[in-house]
């Protein structure tokens, strides 16, 4: 009795942004869900056991066990670190006379009903004109695949499904179990592993004509096959774009991921020859961002002209902006005029009046850092004990600095709280933008200059230059004490941020180590300037 294993663990990054919302195997193509169409074809061929290996957004596939009695779900939680050979390895106990499939394939004809009287193991292949990225195959006169390469030109390509008979499956399983822990094996495609053992494993080539097997390399491929894909994709992202820009889904073109940022992911797209950017909130954003504060500050920044690229922003975190053509990061070290304008932007921001009912929250560096350190401790050990000396010093310094702020007349104002060069852009006309408002909130204005000072390994002279540019004059002794004390306070937040991001497997960024260095470099100096002794 033949069964099937469907590999459905991968993330399919080339299909962002739609894979931010659902896995590729659940896309609707020509009015059918990809994986459901394939399940129905397997059932039509008499397959009574269909094992689906899940990973990314696994919960969205759970309904399949209720809809199809033939389906059994298993989970590969290593999908983000390993290749699809490991996904197949996860299902190795089900390898018998087995069809090997991928959840996102589309077959215009049912490949599982082809006759196979000798029960040969076979790999689906099609002849591809021009260069291709799939595994190429050379075939003997007996129809057996004799060698494979990654990619090829004007030759047979291994695409779609495969069939392993029980003897092939037993050998394949034996080899996987013997080698899975060997260097590099777990990161392979299963086709690479087969290629490695091609002399021990015999696949016949089952050649399919062009137009039967589709794998869809990207969104444009899919839209070429199904021109109504965006009309039926059931995407909140598409709905947001269409509602904001008053367009229909088929007006959207040239979709391309710009970056997977530290907190969010963004992609560019065109509508009626205008380029836009859509920002989609990242998975760990909830622990870091207050969306009410971001909403207020982003719209305020638009109104005062320091980020007028934004078109619309939602309390849930999505944002649509105009694409800033030829945007470059500012270089404050090289260009004095950029530094001057960057500091002027901060002063404009700090002057914005915040109504009491605006919902803008206080961004307390120390409280926020401690919260993140506590979360990070779940995977990084008892960090509050490990860094107890630093925390004790911060707890001693921060109240004194806040009292000093009152004495100097510095109250809480709206702050960006993530100011550093990557968030300052300029275009070819020299217009500057201060972007990325996720960390905004009420804080002391000194925090916005401290953000720049604590995330790089600046010299004393460089720090003095930034402070003079911000203040517009030589510092008094009171100002020097106050602004320098904010460097370790702000550094403490970004150190905690880095611990948290590392604990959840995200990029802890280039400034994690500099933030720690500046915390150590300035904390004792700041305590001394206030006449405080952490040893008492």
């Amino acid at each position: 009795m033949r069964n099937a294993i469907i590999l459905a663990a991968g993330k399919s990054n080339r299909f962002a942004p739609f894979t931010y919302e659902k896995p590729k195997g659940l896309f609707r193509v020509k009015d059918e869900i990809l994986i459901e169409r394939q399940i129905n074809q397997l059932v039509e061929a008499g397959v009574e056991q269909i094992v689906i290996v899940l990973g990314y957004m696994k919960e969205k596939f759970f309904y399949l066990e209720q809809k199809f009695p033939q389906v059994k779900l298993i989970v590969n939680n290593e999908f983000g670190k390993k290749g699809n050979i490991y996904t197949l390895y996860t299902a190795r106990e089900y390898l018998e006379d087995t069809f090997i499939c991928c959840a996102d394939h589309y077959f215009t004809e049912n490949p599982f009903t082809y006759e196979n009287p000798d029960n040969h193991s076979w790999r689906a292949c099609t002849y591809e004109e021009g260069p291709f990225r799939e595994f190429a195959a050379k075939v003997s006169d007996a129809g057996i695949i004799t060698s494979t390469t990654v990619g090829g030109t004007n030759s047979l390509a291994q695409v779609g499904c495969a069939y392993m008979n029980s003897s092939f499956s037993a050998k394949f399983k034996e080899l996987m179990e013997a080698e899975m822990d060997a260097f590099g094996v777990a990161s392979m495609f299963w086709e690479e592993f087969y290629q490695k053992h091609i002399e021990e494993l015999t696949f016949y080539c089952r050649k399919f004509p062009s137009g039967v097997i589709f794998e869809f390399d990207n969104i444009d491929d899919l839209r070429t096959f199904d021109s109504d894909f965006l009309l039926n994709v059931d995407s909140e992202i598409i709905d947001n774009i269409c509602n904001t820009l008053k367009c229909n889904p088929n007006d959207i073109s040239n979709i391309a991921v710009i970056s997977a940022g530290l907190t969010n992911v963004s992609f560019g797209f065109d509508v009626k020859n205008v380029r836009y950017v859509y920002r989609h909130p990242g998975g760990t954003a909830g622990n870091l961002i207050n969306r009410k504060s971001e909403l207020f500050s982003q719209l305020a920044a638009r109104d005062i002209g320091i980020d007028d690229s934004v078109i619309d922003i939602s309390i849930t975190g999505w944002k649509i902006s105009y694409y800033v053509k030829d945007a470059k990061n500012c270089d404050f070290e090289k260009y004095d005029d950029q530094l001057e304008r960057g500091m002027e932007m901060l002063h404009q921001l700090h002057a914005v009046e915040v109504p009491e009912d605006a919902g803008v929250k206080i961004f307390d560096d120390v409280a926020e850092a401690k919260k993140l350190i506590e979360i990070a401790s779940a995977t990084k050990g008892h960090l509050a004990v490990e860094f107890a000396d630093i925390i004790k010093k911060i707890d001693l310094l921060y109240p004194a600095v806040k009292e000093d702020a009152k004495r100097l007349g510095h109250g809480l104002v709206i702050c960006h709280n993530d100011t550093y060069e990557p968030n300052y852009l300029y275009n070819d006309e020299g217009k500057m933008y201060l972007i990325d408002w996720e960390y905004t909130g009420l804080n002391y204005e000194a925090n916005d200059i401290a953000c720049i000072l604590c995330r790089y390994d600046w010299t004393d002279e460089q720090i003095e230059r930034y402070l003079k540019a911000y203040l517009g004059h030589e510092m008094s002794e009171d100002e020097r004490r106050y602004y320098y004390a904010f460097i370790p306070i702000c550094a403490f937040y970004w150190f905690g941020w880095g611990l948290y991001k590392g604990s959840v497997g995200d990029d802890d960024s280039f400034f994690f180590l500099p933030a720690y260095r500046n915390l150590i470099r300035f904390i004792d100096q700041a305590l001394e300037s206030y006449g405080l002794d952490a040893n008492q």
Side-chain angles (χ1 to χ4, degrees):
M1 182 65 66
R2 293 174 179 173
N3 67 355
I5 296 173
I6 300 178
L7 309 180
K11 191 173 181 180
S12 299
N13 289 324
R14 292 196 300 275
F15 283 80
F18 305 112
T19 47
Y20 301 157
E21 298 176 300
K22 67 179 69 173
K24 182 182 171 187
L26 294 178
F27 287 179
R28 184 176 293 277
V29 177
K30 291 189 179 291
D31 207 32
E32 291 181 281
I33 304 298
L34 284 174
I35 195 168
E36 290 190 19
R37 175 182 172 85
Q38 195 166 168
I39 291 169
N40 284 324
Q41 288 178 323
L42 286 163
V43 172
E44 180 186 341
V47 177
E48 297 182 1
Q49 182 191 59
I50 302 170
V51 178
I52 304 176
V53 191
L54 309 177
Y56 175 66
M57 287 191 177
K58 62 183 78 68
E59 67 282 353
K60 294 186 181 293
F61 290 100
F62 285 177
Y63 77 95
L64 292 172
E65 282 191 339
Q66 284 69 56
K67 186 167 185 176
F68 299 97
Q70 299 87 354
V71 165
K72 178 180 178 60
L73 304 177
I74 62 175
V75 172
N76 166 23
N77 281 324
E78 299 293 313
F79 71 93
K81 304 174 184 177
K82 298 177 180 178
N84 73 3
I85 182 62
Y86 193 84
T87 301
L88 185 54
Y89 176 75
T90 304
R92 63 193 182 280
E93 66 179 283
Y94 299 98
L95 280 172
E96 298 171 357
D97 290 306
T98 305
F99 293 109
I100 308 299
C101 314
C102 288
D104 53 6
H105 291 168
Y106 188 102
F107 306 116
T108 58
E109 300 174 5
N110 192 335
F112 310 114
T113 58
Y114 282 32
E115 294 184 2
N116 185 14
D118 297 319
N119 198 31
H120 288 317
S121 298
W122 54 261
R123 181 70 174 97
C125 297
T126 62
Y127 185 85
E128 298 288 341
E129 298 280 355
F132 56 85
R133 294 169 32 170
E134 291 82 8
F135 288 86
K138 290 185 177 180
V139 179
S140 72
D141 59 355
I144 294 171
I145 297 176
T146 57
S147 68
T148 71
T149 57
V150 178
T153 301
N154 298 327
S155 68
L156 286 170
Q158 300 177 53
V159 294
C161 56
Y163 172 72
M164 300 180 181
N165 64 25
S166 56
S167 60
F168 188 113
S169 291
K171 185 63 177 179
F172 200 85
K173 176 182 175 182
E174 175 190 333
L175 292 167
M176 285 195 296
E177 289 179 336
E179 298 181 25
M180 192 55 61
D181 292 333
F183 178 76
V185 170
S187 62
M188 288 180 172
F189 291 102
W190 75 259
E191 292 93 342
E192 289 180 279
F193 189 77
Y194 154 68
Q195 176 185 348
K196 181 181 178 185
H197 296 286
I198 196 167
E199 293 184 1
E200 302 166 79
L201 299 165
T202 300
F203 261 150
Y204 282 78
C205 169
R206 172 149 285 180
K207 188 176 179 181
F208 288 81
S210 176
V212 173
I213 298 174
F214 290 88
E215 294 193 348
F216 310 122
D217 281 342
N218 51 53
I219 293 170
D220 288 339
D221 272 358
L222 209 162
R223 293 182 73 181
T224 299
F225 180 76
D226 180 7
S227 61
D228 290 334
F229 171 69
L230 289 188
L231 296 174
N232 300 314
V233 71
D234 188 25
S235 166
E236 184 179 341
I237 290 173
I238 295 297
D239 291 343
N240 293 337
I241 291 173
C242 291
N243 291 336
T244 300
L245 301 180
K246 309 303 180 188
C247 64
N248 68 64
N250 280 340
D251 291 330
I252 301 169
S253 62
N254 296 326
I255 297 170
V257 173
I258 295 173
S259 67
L262 297 178
T263 311
N264 304 295
V265 286
S266 299
F267 66 93
F269 64 97
D270 291 347
V271 171
K272 299 176 182 177
N273 298 317
V274 178
R275 190 72 174 161
Y276 301 91
V277 176
Y278 187 99
R279 196 271 313 273
H280 187 77
T284 60
N287 291 320
L288 300 167
I289 294 167
N290 182 283
R291 292 300 184 189
K292 285 186 178 180
S293 297
E294 183 195 17
L295 179 63
F296 174 85
S297 297
Q298 179 70 85
L299 295 178
R302 180 186 66 184
D303 293 343
I304 64 176
I306 63 178
D307 184 13
D308 56 10
S309 65
V310 66
I311 299 170
D312 196 12
I313 183 171
S314 164
I315 194 66
T316 60
W318 63 264
K319 180 172 69 172
I320 297 176
S321 304
Y322 291 108
Y323 177 75
V324 180
K325 186 178 180 181
D326 300 318
K328 306 173 187 66
N329 286 120
C330 289
D331 187 342
F332 293 154
E333 286 298 291
K334 187 174 181 180
Y335 300 110
D336 289 338
D337 60 331
Q338 289 184 356
L339 176 58
E340 181 179 341
R341 175 56 183 149
M343 299 303 100
E344 180 186 347
M345 286 177 163
L346 294 183
H347 289 301
Q348 287 180 262
L349 175 65
H350 299 157
V352 170
E353 293 188 12
V354 184
E356 290 186 6
D357 61 353
V360 179
K361 301 297 184 182
I362 294 174
F363 188 95
D364 185 302
D365 292 81
V366 175
E368 292 295 322
K370 286 182 177 179
K371 180 180 75 173
L372 296 178
I373 289 170
E374 182 179 355
I375 297 171
S377 294
T379 58
K380 283 181 171 283
H382 201 333
L383 298 173
V385 172
E386 185 175 350
F387 298 105
D389 183 58
I390 290 174
I391 294 171
K392 179 182 177 182
K393 291 179 179 181
I394 286 289
D395 285 341
L396 185 61
L397 175 65
Y398 197 35
V401 175
K402 289 193 284 188
E403 284 298 316
D404 205 18
K406 290 181 183 178
R407 188 176 67 83
L408 295 171
H410 297 310
L412 294 174
V413 297
I414 194 71
C415 288
H416 186 278
N417 296 317
D418 191 17
T419 46
Y420 69 142
E421 285 184 355
N423 283 338
Y424 282 96
L425 302 179
Y426 73 99
N427 62 16
D428 285 347
E429 286 74 44
K431 180 177 174 60
M432 281 178 54
Y433 302 81
L434 177 56
I435 64 169
D436 288 352
W437 293 84
E438 293 92 345
Y439 295 87
T440 186
L442 296 172
N443 204 340
Y444 298 98
E445 45 81 28
N447 192 68
D448 271 345
I449 184 63
C451 271
I452 300 174
L453 300 179
C454 77
R455 292 202 267 181
Y456 298 89
D457 292 314
W458 300 128
T459 65
D460 292 343
E461 291 76 15
Q462 287 171 311
I463 290 173
E464 290 286 317
R465 174 174 173 266
Y466 278 92
L467 287 170
K468 184 175 181 180
Y470 177 73
L471 292 169
H473 59 258
E474 297 291 342
M475 286 181 288
S476 68
E477 286 305 309
D478 283 348
E479 288 174 327
R480 181 176 298 278
R481 178 183 63 241
Y482 175 69
Y483 285 98
Y484 268 89
F486 245 98
I487 298 175
I489 289 167
C490 187
F492 181 64
Y493 172 76
W494 291 111
F495 174 61
W497 183 96
L499 290 172
Y500 164 72
K501 295 295 278 187
S503 74
V504 296
D506 288 351
D507 182 0
D508 55 23
S509 196
F510 72 86
F511 51 74
F512 180 37
L513 179 56
Y516 173 77
R517 287 172 176 158
N518 285 309
L519 176 53
I520 299 303
R521 176 183 174 188
F522 290 105
I523 185 67
D524 289 335
Q525 173 184 315
L527 288 169
E528 183 179 348
S529 72
Y530 283 97
L532 301 171
D533 186 352
N535 296 317
Q536 291 182 351

